């Protein structure tokens, strides 16, 4: 259930027009906002390769298939990439400041205190930051 909610959150982040699907334009737009350079043609090719019903859009089911299709090695690689996006200070940890910065890029404005609370939920060793292992536990 929690995993389905996470997939729905990912879909809603990319789905700018709220139609329940991700278009190549939306994919390109959001990837650019989080710091990646992504051409519209690349987005079209990516969606075409994953689109199960041929409508040129990614549905929730397509997204779930994509996210669950990789092997453990691929999932670990993807998780490390996601962790690195949040580790904006490049210190090997997600700090309240780096979490705030990344959430702001994603359009979610939180205070440092709110970020500390968010980190605190998964901070297993109580050091005030998230290590990769704590991040991995959080994402499972």
């Amino acid at each position: 259930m929690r995993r389905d909610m996470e997939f729905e959150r990912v879909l809603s982040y990319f789905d700018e027009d709220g139609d329940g699907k991700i278009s190549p334009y939306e994919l390109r737009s959001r990837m650019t906002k989080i710091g990646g350079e992504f051409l519209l043609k690349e987005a079209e090719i990516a969606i075409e390769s994953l689109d199960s019903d041929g409508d040129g859009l990614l549905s929730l089911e397509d997204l779930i298939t994509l996210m669950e299709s990789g092997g453990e090695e691929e999932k670990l690689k993807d998780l490390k990439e996601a962790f690195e996006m949040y580790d904006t200070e490049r210190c090997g940890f997600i700090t309240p400041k780096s979490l705030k910065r990344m959430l702001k890029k994603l359009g979610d404005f939180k205070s440092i205190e709110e970020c500390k609370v968010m980190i605190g939920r998964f901070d297993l060793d109580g050091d005030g930051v998230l290590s990769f292992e704590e991040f991995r536990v959080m994402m499972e």
Side-chain angles (χ1 to χ4, degrees):
M1 172 100 163
R2 178 176 164 87
R3 178 162 257 156
D4 289 345
M5 288 174 51
E6 289 299 318
F7 292 140
E8 288 173 9
R9 272 184 53 196
V10 170
L11 179 76
S12 68
Y13 171 72
F14 283 94
D15 180 21
E16 293 176 339
D17 65 7
D19 67 354
K21 295 197 174 197
I22 303 169
S23 71
Y25 174 79
E26 291 169 325
L27 178 60
R28 182 191 158 281
S29 171
R30 288 298 189 183
M31 292 302 289
T32 301
K33 279 186 180 176
I34 60 175
E37 192 168 318
F38 209 58
L39 300 174
L40 185 56
K41 187 65 180 166
E42 292 172 320
E44 289 168 348
I45 291 168
I47 287 181
E48 184 180 315
S49 70
L50 301 166
D51 179 15
S52 62
D53 62 6
D55 65 355
L57 304 168
L58 283 186
S59 64
L60 179 61
E61 293 76 26
D62 296 332
L63 187 63
I64 290 171
T65 299
L66 168 66
M67 308 272 292
E68 292 183 340
S69 67
E72 286 305 310
E73 207 171 289
E74 185 68 25
K75 287 179 185 177
L76 186 60
K77 179 180 163 262
D78 292 344
L79 203 52
K80 284 182 180 177
E81 287 175 7
F83 178 80
E84 289 170 3
M85 285 175 49
Y86 283 89
D87 178 17
T88 60
E89 297 173 32
R90 300 293 174 239
C91 62
F93 298 96
I94 298 173
T95 66
K97 183 178 177 181
S98 66
L99 177 60
K100 179 182 179 179
R101 186 177 298 131
M102 188 61 191
L103 290 174
K104 182 179 178 184
K105 282 185 179 180
L106 297 172
D108 190 3
F109 300 93
K110 300 285 185 200
S111 70
I112 288 291
E113 285 305 312
E114 289 172 309
C115 291
K116 285 179 181 178
V117 169
M118 292 170 71
I119 286 174
R121 290 187 196 130
F122 299 97
D123 181 13
L124 302 176
D125 61 9
D127 62 359
V129 295
L130 287 182
S131 67
F132 176 72
E133 278 307 307
E134 291 167 328
F135 180 75
R136 191 173 65 84
V137 168
M138 178 184 78
M139 296 305 284
E140 289 179 351

